[in-house]
Amino acid sequence: MTRSLDPAMAPVGDTRAFLHLRDIEISENGVYVFDFDGVIVSSLEDQIYKLEPTPVERDLLRAASEKFHIRCGSMDQQYQRHLLYQAAAAHLDIPIEKGPGFAKAKKAAEIARLFVLTARSGWYAIERCRQFLQQNGLFPIETYHVGRVRKDRQIHLVLKEFPDRPVYYIEDSTAHLEDLLQDAEANLNLVFSASSDQAPDFDSLRAHCEDVLARAIAT
């Protein structure tokens, strides 16, 4: 894997220090902070983002950048792909698939306190996230779109907001969870969400991404 600015690019590490999503029950007293990609929704689009960059895709990304007027050509190539795929998927009205944490996030929204904490920060990535939540009747108190940085500050903010309630942070990146292990507050519960998707077929993912970009450019 090429060097990336994004801490979530790190491979999944040891999960034994964390609770697991399958083992937690949603309580009316709880506060639940859910990651989006790989948790509330499928990891498909995150897997597309993490594909290794290739010289061959540069012309396609350049054409997509011109189509959508997104001047991202000097940015990390994998992140360019993410931004432009999101624009193309929005243009083609491609739906986002539900993930392993969807049902529990929906219940948290209905009976407890739900927050969404995601690295999605591109215009189209945020729009598609909000559309998914709205279309599925899933309304968080807040959505935090923080970009490719550590998520610990938002978690500490929620902990200060709710010092007397159990706070559950549900995440599929062990790198983000590990950030909070050393100085975790007593009311913080770190929860690992394992992917329910099959092991990625990188050739199929790349073909899908290229097809979406090409179709969006042509229409």
Side-chain angles (χ1 to χ4, degrees):
M1 182 75 64
T2 54
R3 183 179 178 82
S4 172
L5 298 173
D6 189 345
M9 279 293 196
V12 173
D14 191 345
T15 66
R16 289 175 294 180
F18 314 120
L19 299 171
H20 285 253
L21 180 61
R22 63 179 179 269
D23 298 325
I24 68 166
E25 296 295 331
I26 303 301
S27 163
E28 292 182 6
N29 189 50
V31 178
Y32 299 88
V33 185
F34 276 76
D35 180 31
F36 189 68
D37 286 277
V39 182
I40 293 178
V41 301
S42 162
S43 63
L44 172 69
E45 296 183 7
D46 196 44
Q47 291 170 357
I48 289 171
Y49 163 41
K50 291 177 179 178
L51 287 169
E52 280 290 298
T54 66
V56 175
E57 74 177 344
R58 288 176 187 161
D59 288 343
L60 189 60
L61 296 178
R62 189 177 301 112
S65 174
E66 293 173 0
K67 167 76 175 183
F68 296 109
H69 308 290
I70 300 173
R71 299 180 181 89
C72 58
S74 62
M75 299 175 76
D76 174 83
Q77 187 170 322
Q78 287 165 297
Y79 196 61
Q80 289 182 53
R81 185 195 306 122
H82 163 71
L83 292 173
L84 297 167
Y85 176 87
Q86 292 297 319
H91 182 71
L92 297 174
D93 200 24
I94 295 174
I96 305 177
E97 300 173 4
K98 294 176 183 177
F102 175 82
K104 289 189 176 181
K106 184 75 178 287
K107 187 172 182 181
E110 291 170 351
I111 71 167
R113 294 147 198 85
L114 173 68
F115 295 83
V116 173
L117 174 55
T118 173
R120 285 184 178 235
S121 56
W123 177 272
Y124 292 100
I126 292 175
E127 285 296 294
R128 293 182 71 235
C129 172
R130 289 178 61 85
Q131 287 175 10
F132 175 90
L133 296 173
Q134 184 174 33
Q135 289 167 1
N136 287 282
L138 204 164
F139 297 101
I141 295 172
E142 291 186 85
T143 58
Y144 302 124
H145 301 271
V146 300
R148 296 164 290 163
V149 297
R150 295 169 60 182
K151 296 179 177 179
D152 57 325
R153 290 191 178 186
Q154 294 301 145
I155 296 298
H156 285 302
L157 175 66
V158 174
L159 289 167
K160 289 179 181 177
E161 193 80 62
F162 299 97
D164 301 321
R165 295 185 184 273
V167 174
Y168 295 83
Y169 172 32
I170 300 97
E171 172 68 69
D172 69 333
S173 165
T174 51
H176 282 308
L177 293 172
E178 287 166 356
D179 268 344
L180 291 151
L181 272 177
Q182 300 303 318
D183 58 348
E185 302 288 338
N187 62 324
L188 176 61
N189 301 273
L190 298 171
V191 183
F192 176 71
S193 175
S195 174
S196 61
D197 301 321
Q198 296 179 341
D201 178 340
F202 297 111
D203 291 338
S204 295
L205 285 173
R206 193 175 297 281
H208 166 74
C209 179
E210 291 173 356
D211 174 68
V212 168
L213 290 171
R215 285 193 288 124
I217 291 166
T219 58

